[in-house]
Amino acid sequence: MRPHTDGLDTLAPVDGTDRAGAQPVAGFLPERRGVVAQQPDWPDVQAVALVEDQLTSMAPLTADHEIEALAGGLAMAAQGRALVFQGGDCAEQFVDARRDLVRRKIDHLQGLSAGMRASTQLPVVTIGRMAGQYGKPRSSPTEMSRSGELIASYRGDAVNSFEQDTAARVPDPTRLLTAYRCAATILDELRQSWSGRDPLERVYASHELLLMPYECPLVREGARGTYAGSTHFGWIGERTRGLDGAHLEFARSVINPVGIKLGPSATPDDAVAISRRLNPDGVAGRLTFIVRAGVGRVEDMLSPIVDAVAADGRPVVWICDPMHGNGYVHDGVKTRALTSIVDEITAFVRVMQAARQWPAGLHLEVTPDPVTECVARVEGAHTFTDYRSTCDPRLNAEQSAEVVSRFLALL
Ligand code: PEP
Ligand code: MN
């Protein structure tokens, strides 16, 4: 089967560094153990099985020693001895898997963490939303096209095309192979940027653990256990974090550090149950809660959750995603206001400090490009002259620097 490749530059082969001996885990199928939310409606399940076989035979994208180095940094963040900065696109695009563009994104993330390090004198664990952020959960299976036609929703480049066309929106499993190759190119560039850097100063990869036919075949047996070979750090989204769901079971089954989004519906019982399930031994750095409450809901929602998790005693890295609870539509355009983003961060830090817990950092959707996707404030007229995101609106370089500096001022 030929992978879907339109719009792609030549992709680098995956290098085999340090992956010798990594064995696929036969029959690793947590999707059989519960509800599998947010999966595409693949029209041809046999074609999906063929793609899974191919991914099973491929080298894992990440090595266990890289994952462990990241886990070490996150352990420090759980103990209040390091900060975390996680950021990048809402949805990566295959056409952007180009070394020059990837390098700009890495430099941007490194610049933001360097500012955090300079301001606090603490190590900053830097994690890109990159090298695999190709699958998107959607609130609605359909969307209205610009021409007024009801079409299937875009689910990320690993599933279908952003093009507003009925045929282009049909899920195509060969896109999972293209996702793998794009991720390999990006990881290669990430590793090149590591040269001469301490493991705590590197940019690591992360994406949402969403698409089971991508994640499960890339699981490998390593020196210390079973790990997700698709990335260093994976997170589970707000729509797929159900305790009876396959996504949580997947995260439980691998030793990678994992993040769980906590939205406004999360309860103290949910958070404690997730922490016990994913981190029974209370290993610092294993679990990150990514809180995305929405401005105005942080205090009520987060205070009891933080107290319950602290009383349970298992360490957690707490970071604030001030983006996903604050989206709204202005003149038909999805946007977010900087004022809401900064206000949510402020409330997050205050709640954490009141609970004597460490507000370890931020999870942001950012780009180095001079886009106009997020606005300064809700009020007033807005024009979106440079809107490039295929999914959620991102902070541009200037806006992301502002947001990070407002966070630092609170510590
Ligand atoms: C995202 O991070 O792009 C996302 C969809 O987040 P959430 O699951 O928090 O809505
Ligand atoms: Mn998003």
Side-chain angles (χ1 to χ4, degrees), residues 90 129 136-137 235 237-239 261 292 324 365 392:
C90 178
R129 288 177 59 115
K136 298 306 301 173
W235 79 85
E238 170 68 1
R239 295 162 190 77
K261 296 276 198 114
R292 36 85 91 220
H324 287 91
E365 289 184 339
D392 292 335

Side-chain angles (χ1 to χ4, degrees), residues 353-409:
Q353 288 172 341
R356 303 189 154 278
Q357 301 293 313
W358 177 235
L362 299 175
H363 177 116
L364 303 177
E365 289 184 339
V366 299
T367 173
D369 297 329
V371 299
T372 51
E373 297 173 0
C374 292
V375 298
R377 63 191 67 77
V378 176
E379 303 76 28
H382 302 297
T383 49
F384 300 93
T385 47
D386 190 350
Y387 199 105
R388 304 183 207 174
S389 177
T390 54
C391 203
D392 292 335
R394 301 160 299 174
L395 300 167
N396 60 32
E398 195 184 326
Q399 291 170 328
S400 45
E402 163 83 11
V403 166
V404 168
S405 80
R406 298 290 292 268
F407 168 71
L408 292 170

Side-chain angles (χ1 to χ4, degrees), residues 18 63-74 83-87 103 105-107 109-114 117 123-128 130 187 189-206 232:
D18 272 324
D64 41 4
H65 66 87
E66 299 170 349
I67 292 164
E68 278 160 25
L70 169 62
L74 289 167
L83 286 170
V84 177
F85 180 74
Q86 187 176 21
R103 195 62 198 221
K105 291 182 190 178
I106 295 170
D107 289 348
L109 300 179
Q110 256 161 359
L112 291 167
S113 356
R117 189 156 41 238
V124 182
V125 181
T126 313
I127 310 172
M130 61 199 304
L187 274 155
E189 196 60 30
L190 276 172
R191 290 191 185 97
Q192 284 186 29
S193 78
W194 291 356
S195 110
R197 281 181 189 271
D198 181 275
L200 277 177
E201 292 173 5
R202 298 170 177 170
V203 179
Y204 290 90
S206 75
H232 298 125

